Amino acid sequence: MRVLQALAVLMLCLSFATVQAAEKEINVGFIYVSPIGDAGWSYAHDLGRRGLDGMEGVKTSYVEAVAEGPDSERVMQNMARKGYDIIFATSFGYMDPMLKVAKQFPNTRFMHCSGFKMAANMGNYFGRMYQARYLSGMVAGGMTRSKTIGYVAAFPIPEVIRGINAFTLGVQAVNPEATVRVVWTKTWYDPATEKEAAKSLLDVGADVIAQHQDSPGPQEAAQEKGVYSIGYNSDMSAFAPKAHLTAPIWNWAPFYRSVVEQVRKGTWKAESVWPGMETGIVDLAPFGAMVPRDLQDKVMAAKADIVAGRNKIFVGPIKDQKGAVKIAAGAVAPDPDLLGMTWFVQGVVGTTE
Amino acid sequence: MFRIRITKRQEPRGWSSCLVVVAAVALSLLLSGILLSLRDIPPLTGLAVLFKGAYGSRFAIEDCLIKAIPIFLCSLGVAVAFRLQVWNIGAEGQFALGAVGATWVALTFPDLPGPILLPAMIAMAALAGGLWGMIPAILRQRLQTNEIIVTLMMNYIAILFLDYLVYGVWKDPTSFGFPMTREFSPQAVVGKIGSTGVNWGLAHCLVLGTAVWVFIRFTRIGFELKAAGDSVRAARYAGIPYDRLVVLVMVISGALAGWAGFLEASATINRLQPSIMVGYGYTAIVVAWLARLNPLSIAVASFLLAGLRVGVENLQLDLQVPAAFGDILEGLILLTVLAGGLFTSYRLSVRGH
Amino acid sequence: MELAIIVPLLAAAVQSGTPILYATLGEIITEKSGVLNLGVEGVMIIGTLTAFVVALATGSPILAFVAAGIAGTLAAAIHGMVCLWFKGNQVVSGLALTILGTGLADYLGNAYVGRTAPGFSPLALPLVSEIPIVGPIFFNHDPLVYLTYALPPLIWYGLMRTRPGLCLRAAGEYPAAATAAGLDVAAYRWGGVLGGGFLMGLGGAYLSLSYTHLWTNNLTGGRGWIAVALVIFAFWRPGRAVFGAYLFGGIMALQLRLQASGTQLPSSLLLMLPYALTVIVLVLSSWRRGMSEAPAALGVNVEPAD
């Protein structure tokens, strides 16, 4: 009898212990390549992280402005040693360091944004921002009168180039003769340079300014000149209420929540995911009042097409700036081609260097 | 009425400069503690996190050593120049060009055996850095051009040149368009010491530090550099035209910074990418001023400031303190040390009326 | 590039050169008194942040502008303390101030990124802005630009034709003789440092009140350093400083406009233009006249007598 009682107590204790273990806090770490205030990119990810703070039993932490390379390797090792359950690295350059650390810490989960390497405990993810860019291009194409659209862009890396291309395709869907002129600022967050770049485009006759930058500098320039603008990352209408038509925006919170849920349930596995507009990870900010109803309807119809998978955007025939056919008629560009895009479509004026 | 009277000492007090540095660092920590409390972080907790992150574990110490290596080499060079009152602010750019030079060798001759390839990379790095240091020196001596501005501007130019190469001709075709070179072949990589994370660059530092120590101690130029306040006199006693001394010193300075660039590219990142630039050249100025021309002091100060960088990462992770906290501390330490120089170089006495 | 771009480019040059001009004028005053302040970048960015924060808090751009000047004065005072009281090395102290200033602005300004503050808007001057070519280039800007039209002659007059200006210059040229003649050199050097700091703060304020209505931690982008170089280029003269500032403003605006015009030159190389030009301009200035235009006692701390 005594033995049975003792055994029962022991079983109770053990199950209690396992219940305790199951309710252990989940520690989620984030690494940003730039300060969260400065760069809309990191800011958007941080908004996603904050979306996790409401979840029960989840604790988040972040390190910002971590240089790619050995610094990031150290930060990730640090996090892994502290027992973080899952680490999100939000820049391409973190890929190789993360791979090294993933091999050292097989019990920690790693998620890399915008890369392509994987391991048993390392997956990668991204969002199809180019879909939202396409829609914003349609709006720009519909609103321009000078048929010149200016694009202030940061660095000639594939995601920026892909965004410009998708944007231009959207412009041409509504306004086949319009061109998109690109100016590189070589900075993600310098309002002064970005605004000056926008002005330089305005000087050559652009009457809609779009951007792949993280400050509202170009928006200000457009508003001051009395023309239109397209924002980025988040709704920038507060900065340029008379100019801001719409903006392609990120919405990472639902994605991060679903990943952390997988971790909690134990169903997480390393895979390569690139969700699109259908999951809400990218979207279009609300239209400004100046966008006419019929254009809005056209864009929303196109959005429905994209969400339903009917419009893959990079569907041939698509030519590059020199006129060579890069995507054959009827063909859909495969994901790797999109991820490594370094050429501009016809209709873009500018270099990729 | 009491007045404080200041008179210059004939010989600056030696031992008290150590005391001054300690007091200065303490004061800086105090002031930065105030800044922490502005963010509702208890200062002592914050500083404890900083120290623990910097020196609190074997991994942390290793990380400090890894970061101290390039800081040490850059500081060695800057200290030599400063002693001659040649204000070399260009360590950052000389570092960048050194990395570029080493990368050129690594990419052009990837299959050479290690014992040939590595010295070739070093030679090219030192040559490139030395050249970049020589130009401002010649401009200073021949044309009386202010070396502070020239070296600073050349920093920007060197970094932009690095960007130009990695965005253009040196871009890795498998990097999906992101700016980075191919990964170096194994023979081009300086390996790690045993099973630690620290690379053999530590041994390079030992050798070079000893070489500089020997130079200071046992050559005529070296002795005069260390002892004299008047640099022209140093040159005269050493029998070298002052002009050539300045150029020599700047070449050495640039070569050492270039060597640091080689080590970062080869040992730490194993390729060249824009994020190799993290401001070691500017931290080196702080170290050079704290430690003067004593290689041992330079080593200690480098280790300390490397610890600051590593600790600040921990501060971010645990307490979400912005990364700029490290810069603030660096600036404060330098200013307080400068102010403290009053007590070592001057005698204060109180005179009553 | 078409001709129609030249006028907007020159107008952009004036706007882009204005913050640099404020800072250059400030540094001229400081250096004329014998103190070398390399912390311009740090002082400017503190002015930028202060202006932004005060504008947000009070809604008054003018108040923000003045507050920035005061903040610049305080920041420069740190340099003054270290050099004038503690006899610290002026070169290194200025560098330290840059590191501290930029770090402090970054740290304190964290919460203000992504917000917009009320600032100044362009105000076309009646009549004169209608003059072809000259009108749009000079008379279609915000009030802070117009202020810089008045400053150089005022500063020139103050330095060269008034007694305090003479004393200030004496403190920079021959401090020992001036002290012997009964001048309080330290006081005038303090004046130079603080007055210069005020203008540098104003220059910083321009960036967050006029040039943009935003804040980020690197808004000054190296303009402080260019200002230091321009002082040499200007031979320490306010009038020539104007030319230099607009030249550099123009270069910064030019490389973007070259891109907008569809040039095939790589942007990294174009971005080098301002810095390369600074070096060239410095070399040419020093070559022609050496540093002989510099205040004789520039950068040298006054050793206590006895």
Side-chain angles (χ1 to χ4, degrees), chain B residues 117-291:
Chain B
L117 187 55
L118 285 175
M121 288 168 73
I122 294 176
M124 202 61 190
L127 192 71
L131 199 77
W132 211 238
M134 191 174 86
I135 297 174
I138 294 181
L139 287 175
R140 179 190 201 252
Q141 297 312 112
R142 286 293 179 82
L143 300 173
Q144 288 86 51
T145 319
N146 184 315
E147 75 276 18
I148 300 173
I149 311 292
V150 174
T151 49
L152 186 75
M153 292 295 121
M154 285 175 77
N155 283 349
Y156 286 104
I157 295 176
I159 296 172
L160 284 168
F161 183 59
L162 193 156
D163 284 352
Y164 167 71
L165 289 171
V166 297
Y167 272 100
V169 283
W170 279 358
K171 202 187 323 187
D172 180 1
T174 70
S175 74
F176 277 81
F178 281 89
M180 53 180 69
T181 66
R182 285 196 320 270
E183 210 169 337
F184 288 176
S185 58
Q187 301 98 288
V189 172
V190 171
K192 306 214 189 286
I193 301 177
S195 61
T196 69
V198 189
N199 60 71
W200 280 104
L202 195 62
H204 295 205
C205 287
L206 219 68
V207 168
L208 288 166
T210 312
V212 170
W213 179 79
V214 163
F215 174 72
I216 299 294
R217 193 111 197 277
F218 295 111
T219 66
R220 254 207 312 235
I221 314 173
F223 177 74
E224 285 300 328
L225 268 179
K226 190 169 171 75
D230 180 354
S231 39
V232 184
R233 196 182 78 188
R236 207 170 346 116
Y237 277 121
I240 294 185
Y242 178 64
D243 286 354
R244 270 195 227 154
L245 187 62
V246 169
V247 174
L248 175 72
V249 149
M250 280 299 284
V251 168
I252 294 177
S253 197
L256 284 168
W259 196 306
F262 148 75
L263 280 173
E264 273 300 278
S266 165
T268 331
I269 312 188
N270 314 135
R271 59 183 1 133
L272 189 63
Q273 58 193 35
S275 61
I276 197 177
M277 306 305 301
V278 285
Y280 290 138
Y282 294 113
T283 303
I285 295 171
V286 182
V287 171
W289 196 258
L290 289 179

Side-chain angles (χ1 to χ4, degrees), chain A residues 153-208:
Chain A
F155 290 98
I157 57 175
E159 56 196 77
V160 179
I161 295 175
R162 187 169 61 239
I164 295 174
N165 283 343
F167 178 83
T168 308
L169 291 173
V171 167
Q172 289 167 345
V174 172
N175 194 337
E177 289 157 18
T179 58
V180 175
R181 284 183 176 251
V182 177
V183 171
W184 300 108
T185 57
K186 290 296 174 69
T187 173
W188 292 112
Y189 50 90
D190 180 356
T193 306
E194 296 170 28
K195 188 167 174 180
E196 195 64 54
K199 286 203 266 191
S200 71
L201 287 162
L202 292 167
D203 285 345
V204 293
D207 64 353
V208 181

Side-chain angles (χ1 to χ4, degrees), chain A residues 61 64 71 74 96 155 158, chain B residues 63 67 167 176 271 316-317:
Chain A
S61 184
E64 59 178 358
D71 279 4
R74 274 211 321 284
D96 287 327
F155 290 98
Chain B
D63 291 341
K67 279 197 131 16
Y167 272 100
F176 277 81
R271 59 183 1 133
Q316 272 195 70
L317 186 59

